[in-house]
Amino acid sequence: MIHAPDLQQIVTEIADEMRRRSDRGEVATYIPELARADPAKFGIAVIDAQGRVAMGGDAEEPFSIQSISKVFTLTLALGRVGDRLWRKVGREPSGSAFNSIVQLEYEMGVPRNPFINAGAIAVTDTILSGHKPREALGDILRFMHFVADDTAIVIDETVAASESRTGFRNAALANYMKAFGVLDNPVDYTLGVYFHHCAIAMSCRQLAMAGRFLAHQGKNPSTGFTVVPAERARRINAIMLMCGHYDGSGEFAYRVGLPGKSGVGGGILAIAPDKASIAVWSPGLDDTGNSHLGRIALEALTQRMGWSVFGA
Ligand code: DON
């Protein structure tokens, strides 16, 4: 008799393997508060279609989700303005770093996609329009509570303040877009909301919960709530696959084979459509700014479970 692979056993094995590895990448330091993260941490949480939760390592410890928040702000902005969003931001892979300035100049202030910093700032600007910064931020946080079915999720104000003090590159990108009329709101307001949503702290378990609607045609199977129509979930997954790891997106698709979104806090949210929502966390990054062990752990998981979107 052939047994299905035991998910919890595989997750435990992967957490043990990652704990033993000495190649851990480099913790991000350009946001001073993130430099305090412990590179020895590793967490993984997988929630399958039946709602079973498999966890390993530091899966319950909150970390700074950073750019993973861009998946949720994109979802919120598409809900607000629909396809009009694509007038402000493209949906092509960038092939350059997440904070590239030169590409924005070539392309007349219109960012390549919603996941590079410039694109995410333009998306945040859309959410802000018609609201005060505090209200827009409240909407984003409430949306996180809704998708994760968890009202304990908070913004780490220390991380937000740290990035506000040092985010000169993002200020350059935002000012450049403002000059081209891509941003509608005062640059300081838009950046304030952006820095704060990047500073949301979540554990792997909370993040895997929040991603469930993307794995299950727009609906969270445990709450029964429809977050977005199935077609929109499919398209957000497509953008995650093509753009979720910046100029590391090709390598991530090749090795892991799932839509995924990384953050400089060392987290990755990955979606196995119809199968599972997965979150991993290891603060050390590779040279494309994506979690080094996070990617290796996801590669091991998808190989052992046969979960690639490109076939087993
Ligand atoms: O804007 C920044 O630089 C950070 N708040 C987020 C960047 C990020 O997470 C890139 N991802 N790997």
Side-chain angles (χ1 to χ4, degrees):
M1 188 170 143
I2 300 169
H3 290 281
D6 179 49
L7 182 60
Q8 181 58 60
Q9 191 185 325
I10 288 173
V11 163
T12 303
E13 278 167 19
I14 291 172
D16 288 345
E17 285 162 26
M18 295 306 123
R19 193 172 301 122
R20 284 197 295 272
R21 285 182 78 124
S22 55
D23 57 322
R24 307 196 81 87
E26 297 292 324
V27 172
T29 53
Y30 76 100
I31 300 172
E33 195 58 25
L34 293 186
R36 293 157 52 93
D38 178 357
K41 296 283 179 184
F42 175 83
I44 177 167
V46 186
I47 309 182
D48 72 6
Q50 287 72 42
R52 289 179 294 231
V53 184
M55 291 193 283
D58 306 300
E60 296 269 25
E61 187 166 324
F63 59 90
S64 194
I65 69 167
Q66 292 296 322
S67 286
I68 305 171
S69 64
K70 298 169 181 177
V71 173
F72 302 98
T73 49
L74 171 65
T75 307
L76 203 51
L78 284 170
R80 293 263 174 92
V81 301
D83 282 346
R84 275 188 291 138
L85 185 71
W86 305 120
R87 292 184 198 158
K88 275 193 179 214
V89 55
R91 43 175 194 262
E92 291 294 341
S94 67
S96 51
F98 63 88
N99 54 8
S100 171
I101 291 179
V102 67
Q103 191 167 55
L104 200 58
E105 177 160 23
Y106 280 135
E107 299 183 355
M108 313 295 276
V110 179
R112 267 290 171 99
N113 67 61
F115 292 156
I116 54 171
N117 284 6
I121 292 166
V123 168
T124 301
D125 186 72
T126 301
I127 295 171
L128 178 56
S129 287
H131 303 272
K132 296 192 172 79
R134 189 184 295 271
E135 294 166 352
L137 202 55
D139 283 352
I140 295 168
L141 195 59
R142 273 189 295 280
F143 186 63
M144 296 312 301
H145 293 170
F146 169 60
V147 290
D149 193 27
D150 191 337
T151 53
I153 297 163
V154 292
I155 293 169
D156 185 332
E157 292 290 343
T158 316
V159 172
S162 180
E163 187 168 15
S164 300
R165 274 196 302 276
T166 54
F168 303 113
R169 255 184 113 115
N170 283 326
L173 294 168
N175 279 293
Y176 200 77
M177 288 189 285
K178 184 75 178 170
F180 277 94
V182 172
L183 300 189
D184 296 324
N185 299 285
V187 165
D188 285 355
Y189 287 12
T190 302
L191 282 176
V193 177
Y194 171 79
F195 292 147
H196 279 79
H197 73 64
C198 286
I200 292 171
M202 290 169 77
S203 67
C204 289
R205 186 180 52 74
Q206 289 171 321
L207 202 50
M209 267 301 282
R212 291 194 79 201
F213 74 96
L214 292 170
H216 304 289
Q217 285 140 40
K219 193 169 164 175
N220 183 330
S222 58
T223 58
F225 291 139
T226 296
V227 180
V228 291
E231 179 185 278
R232 181 159 293 156
R234 174 163 54 77
R235 289 179 156 164
I236 294 168
N237 285 335
I239 300 169
M240 286 172 75
L241 183 79
M242 299 307 291
C243 314
H245 284 71
Y246 316 106
D247 49 341
S249 298
E251 187 68 6
F252 188 83
Y254 180 83
R255 292 192 173 276
V256 177
L258 295 179
K261 181 75 210 80
S262 66
V264 285
I268 302 176
L269 172 66
I271 302 300
D274 302 319
K275 297 194 170 71
S277 173
I278 308 152
V280 291
W281 170 52
S282 173
L285 308 179
D286 62 20
D287 56 10
T288 52
N290 302 308
S291 176
H292 175 69
L293 287 188
R295 201 266 293 143
I296 291 171
L298 285 170
E299 184 177 356
L301 179 72
T302 54
Q303 270 182 4
R304 290 174 212 184
M305 296 302 296
W307 275 351
S308 165
V309 296
F310 302 108

